[in-house]
Amino acid sequence: MTDLPTRRARRLAEASQAAAAEQRARAAAAEPPTVAIDLRAPAPVPEIVTGRRRDPGVGGSRAVGGDETADRTRVMGILNVTPDSFSDGGLHLAVDAAIAHARDLVASGADLVDVGGESTRPGAERVPLEVEQERVLPVVRQLVSEGIAVSVDTMNAATAERAVEAGAVIVNDVSGGLADPDMVRVVRDTGTGFVVVHWRGHSDRMYRNAEYTRAVEEVRREVELRVAELIVLGVREEQVVIDPGLGFAKQGAQNWEILAGYERFASIGLPVLVAASRKRFLDGVGSAAGAPPRDRDLATAAISLLAAERGAWGVRVHDPAPTRAVLDVWDAWRAART
């Protein structure tokens, strides 16, 4: 008998807890959840990223607003501060040599310089974070101090963040933010431009993933999905430039398919960067088969012209001079049609 009050008290306590839970559930259903709103103004997106985009009308050549020369395709000069890049590894590894080459790139017609401290050539191995930063950050700081627009070619969020703090205006991530999940936070919070490259794995294994049934449509779908994920995570659409990733998990003819399908990538509605410079699939096209990669610059320039004609936001090249020459001709041609 002495146990009855205890059992009764326990049942009453359980009933009370159940009623309280039901009441809380009703209240939650009746009132919308509280959402925290960040009242801070978003960081401005650099002008070199946004600009005015071309109307993708006939030939993709008509600029919004009627001024056909106001929206020139940007020339991104490549500065590899590495010992092992496929074309120029070791040539600009010293800081002084890198800075001198960057100045040459600008003098030859580059609108911005893309500084990278880790090779992404086929088969390349990752380098330690501190090594990448030792190569890249002094160069970025000096170029920014000279008024040169800089992008940083990195898959590491920590390197990207420090480079942006030093004045870089674009993060060019060949993994599209997949190699380092913290990259999304860096890009979102800084407002920097973000080149989202199509990616199917690191350089040491990417060719194992170069299997496609319909390369253009599969790559387009994967790029579009990645951009959607980034926007859900807070990256703004106006920050994003897409790159179909020529040479990355793509072999030979697959790269030509991607180029021939350019309009499918443009139809996503975002600026497009074309990065074909000196890549292996150009071997023997416009130059002798087996010739050094630098002999592919004329083929690179031809692709730059075809990309510009279709309204590309930018082209990424090792030698800006031939590309700038053909783009100047294209701009003069367009201007004469007005």
Side-chain angles (χ1 to χ4, degrees), residues 280-319:
R280 187 182 302 175
F281 75 94
L282 297 178
D283 183 37
V285 180
S287 61
R294 64 177 176 273
D295 287 359
R296 303 169 191 164
D297 284 336
L298 289 179
T300 299
I303 290 173
S304 297
L305 176 59
L306 292 168
E309 185 181 14
R310 286 155 179 78
W313 171 89
V315 290
R316 184 177 182 271
V317 300
H318 290 84
D319 182 1

Side-chain angles (χ1 to χ4, degrees), residues 47-309:
E47 186 176 356
I48 197 168
V49 179
T50 54
R52 285 193 292 170
R53 302 177 194 168
R54 295 215 182 113
D55 182 329
V58 178
S61 63
R62 190 160 43 82
V64 176
D67 182 357
E68 297 197 0
T69 62
D71 189 31
R72 297 177 65 173
T73 294
R74 297 150 182 80
V75 177
M76 179 185 283
I78 299 169
L79 177 55
N80 291 316
V81 193
T82 60
D84 57 344
S85 291
F86 80 93
S87 173
D88 53 2
L91 295 179
H92 317 118
L93 187 57
V95 172
D96 289 347
I99 292 168
H101 186 59
R103 292 169 181 153
D104 289 342
L105 291 171
V106 173
S108 299
D111 297 298
L112 68 159
V113 175
D114 191 39
V115 183
E118 179 178 18
S119 174
T120 53
R121 64 176 174 76
E125 296 182 359
R126 303 299 308 274
V127 304
L129 180 65
E130 59 273 16
V131 172
E132 181 192 41
Q133 294 186 4
E134 287 171 3
R135 294 172 179 175
V136 166
L137 296 178
V139 177
V140 171
R141 293 189 189 100
Q142 180 59 34
L143 298 184
V144 170
S145 74
E146 296 182 16
I148 294 173
V150 174
S151 62
V152 60
D153 178 2
T154 183
M155 291 180 281
N156 293 310
T159 301
E161 189 163 33
R162 293 190 64 185
V164 172
E165 288 171 354
V169 292
I170 293 174
V171 174
N172 180 16
D173 182 350
V174 300
S175 79
L178 291 168
D180 185 342
D182 197 39
M183 186 68 81
V184 176
R185 176 194 61 80
V186 172
V187 173
R188 181 191 64 218
D189 293 352
T190 62
T192 188
F194 191 37
V195 178
V196 177
V197 184
H198 176 258
W199 192 71
R200 282 188 172 185
H202 288 289
S203 298
D204 60 349
R205 59 182 183 273
M206 63 181 177
Y207 281 159
R208 283 178 263 167
N209 300 322
E211 296 185 3
Y212 304 91
T213 302
R214 300 175 62 204
V216 172
E217 294 306 317
E218 290 171 55
V219 173
R220 183 192 187 280
R221 183 169 62 249
E222 290 171 25
V223 169
E224 192 171 32
L225 177 61
R226 182 56 186 154
V227 171
E229 291 171 343
L230 291 168
I231 290 173
V232 168
L233 293 170
V235 176
R236 285 170 286 154
E237 183 179 321
E238 59 266 30
Q239 292 177 253
V240 176
V241 174
I242 60 174
D243 178 343
L246 297 168
F248 291 99
K250 300 167 193 71
Q251 300 212 59
Q254 292 169 341
N255 296 288
W256 290 109
E257 291 177 40
I258 297 298
L259 285 170
Y262 175 91
E263 286 79 2
R264 292 293 295 142
F265 297 97
S267 70
I268 293 174
L270 295 169
V272 179
L273 174 68
V274 175
S277 186
R278 297 183 179 177
K279 290 187 175 177
R280 187 182 302 175
F281 75 94
L282 297 178
D283 183 37
V285 180
S287 61
R294 64 177 176 273
D295 287 359
R296 303 169 191 164
D297 284 336
L298 289 179
T300 299
I303 290 173
S304 297
L305 176 59
L306 292 168
E309 185 181 14

